[in-house]
Amino acid sequence: MTTSHPGGIGIIGEHRVARIGYGAMGLGHAVPQSDATAVLRRAVELGVNHIDTASFYDDGVVNRRIREALAPYRDDLVIVSKVGARAATGPVPLALAQHPADLRAAVELDLTGLGLEQIPIVNLRRADIGPGLTAEGDQVVDLDDQLAEMIALRDEGKIGAIGISNIDLNTLRRALPAGIVCVQNAYSLLNRRHEDELALCLEEDIAWAPYFPLGSAFPGFPKVAENPVVQRIAADIGASGAQVGLAWLLAHAHNTLLIAGTTSIAHLEENLAAGDLTLSAQYLAELDGIDAGLPQGDGVQPFLDEGR
Ligand SMILES: NC(=O)c1ccc[n+]([C@@H]2O[C@H](COP(=O)([O-])OP(=O)(O)OC[C@H]3O[C@@H](n4cnc5c(N)ncnc54)[C@H](OP(=O)(O)O)[C@@H]3O)[C@@H](O)[C@H]2O)c1
């Protein structure tokens, strides 16, 4: 069904990874532990060696589940985490934690939660643009202060490399001298507002690991698989809408690494098999032509960001 590296091989920092990885955000307590374990093990069995997580996903539950399912880890497994938020109680289970000391505390949580001596790559999850929480008041923290802490964490060996997330072009340019190896912004076939940031990543040989590649599980974000053009092409070629959306992302830019999330083994297998799909030039042109401006509901629909 899939090759040993779903989607072929991509580069993230010093690591060669399958271009189709896995986003673990949805594997919190809403999913039975046995299901989470099964999905994670199946992903790795099928060649996934890039898993995205954060210590604040369900207050450490997701990290612990990754550890329980996959440790001792395969040598080639690249676990990527993020800092800049913390778990919180209340309707939004997440709060910003942007100060340098917060970034360090989150890395420590990752190290213990995941049971690693070094987190291979950690994204500085900025809060200057949405979707999700944006910084106000004392959470507005200078980029240089944050990067200095990330560099210190890298110098100490607690993290292997630095990525950045939720940023505009100007912030990305300012961050580049820190040695950024990957960028995570919300981006999909239906949301291409960050094309300029993607272009800069291409130019700089930086991995582009878009989040919400399928439109996310949250209401208010258009779902790629539900788009009529996507559905027509999917029916024509005998694929699913999700596969068409993921295959478009892979074809659109060679530095793209996928971290679609799923709690279902069937969806996982489908998403990995998208790496075997080749879209014709005509289909790619039609998909390129889809209106991918501001997502419907963005900024209006209450959005609980990354906590579930
Ligand atoms: N840097 C950041 O600020 C940031 C923010 C948010 C997320 N992330 C990361 O990005 C990853 C991806 O984002 P995401 O998981 O929120 O959104 P996503 O990958 O766009 O979408 C996930 C949703 O799509 C569904 N889905 C997955 N495969 C499917 C398929 N083949 N057919 C139909 N539905 C399918 C899932 O439902 P099922 O479970 O039913 O399959 C889930 O509801 C996260 O897991 C997280 O690691 C990073």
Side-chain angles (χ1 to χ4, degrees):
M1 180 186 65
T2 50
T3 60
S4 58
H5 291 100
I9 291 180
I11 304 291
I12 183 164
E14 293 179 346
H15 308 275
R16 286 160 58 83
V17 292
R19 289 187 71 203
I20 306 184
Y22 176 72
M25 184 176 79
L27 296 184
H29 69 275
V31 174
Q33 161 118 22
S34 55
D35 290 9
T37 299
V39 168
L40 287 162
R41 289 190 178 157
R42 185 72 178 135
V44 169
E45 186 179 53
L46 291 176
V48 167
N49 59 357
H50 168 207
I51 295 181
D52 185 75
T53 186
S55 60
F56 48 87
Y57 287 164
D58 209 357
D59 201 6
V61 170
V62 171
N63 273 357
R64 284 198 294 280
R65 287 182 162 188
I66 291 173
R67 180 182 188 170
E68 280 153 15
L70 301 179
Y73 301 109
R74 284 172 49 152
D75 286 347
D76 68 339
L77 181 64
V78 181
I79 297 182
V80 178
S81 191
K82 58 190 76 69
V83 295
R86 61 176 170 80
T89 50
V92 180
L94 192 69
L96 290 175
Q98 293 278 307
H99 288 274
D102 300 327
L103 308 181
R104 178 170 289 271
V107 167
E108 294 294 347
L109 284 178
D110 273 330
L111 291 168
T112 48
L114 291 164
L116 284 169
E117 285 178 9
Q118 179 184 76
I119 310 301
I121 300 168
V122 175
N123 283 295
L124 167 60
R125 196 270 191 217
R126 286 278 296 177
D128 25 7
I129 60 164
L133 300 170
T134 47
E136 293 173 355
D138 84 326
Q139 288 302 316
V140 178
V141 179
D142 186 72
L143 175 71
D144 291 336
D145 294 342
Q146 293 178 317
L147 289 174
E149 191 69 16
M150 299 297 285
I151 290 167
L153 287 160
R154 189 180 58 195
D155 289 347
E156 293 163 33
K158 290 180 186 278
I159 71 176
I162 302 169
I164 196 160
S165 173
N166 284 74
I167 40 89
D168 60 18
L169 193 61
N170 184 42
T171 306
L172 177 54
R173 283 212 180 94
R174 280 182 59 203
L176 287 179
I180 300 298
V181 301
C182 61
V183 171
Q184 279 193 11
N185 273 6
Y187 180 90
S188 73
L189 176 59
L190 304 184
N191 169 13
R192 281 176 253 161
R193 279 172 297 158
H194 292 298
E195 205 68 54
D196 289 347
E197 291 83 349
L198 166 53
L200 183 55
C201 287
L202 263 172
E203 215 176 289
E204 298 284 333
D205 284 329
I206 292 171
W208 178 253
Y211 71 85
F212 296 171
L214 293 172
S216 92
F218 295 105
F221 290 83
K223 307 299 175 219
V224 173
E226 292 170 9
N227 177 274
V229 177
V230 170
Q231 287 188 341
R232 177 175 48 75
I233 292 175
D236 278 0
I237 63 176
S240 73
Q243 287 179 318
V244 169
L246 296 177
W248 177 86
L249 280 168
L250 289 175
H252 185 62
H254 67 78
N255 62 335
T256 295
L257 302 179
L258 299 183
I259 51 164
T262 179
T263 55
S264 137
I265 287 195
H267 284 169
L268 171 76
E269 292 180 351
E270 194 179 303
N271 297 347
L272 298 186
D276 298 332
L277 216 62
T278 306
L279 296 167
S280 69
Q282 188 197 324
Y283 286 141
L284 284 172
E286 281 185 64
L287 293 166
D288 286 347
I290 289 176
D291 177 13
L294 197 64
Q296 192 189 352
D298 189 49
V300 178
Q301 185 78 31
F303 169 47
L304 301 186
D305 201 329
E306 301 171 41
R308 289 190 187 188

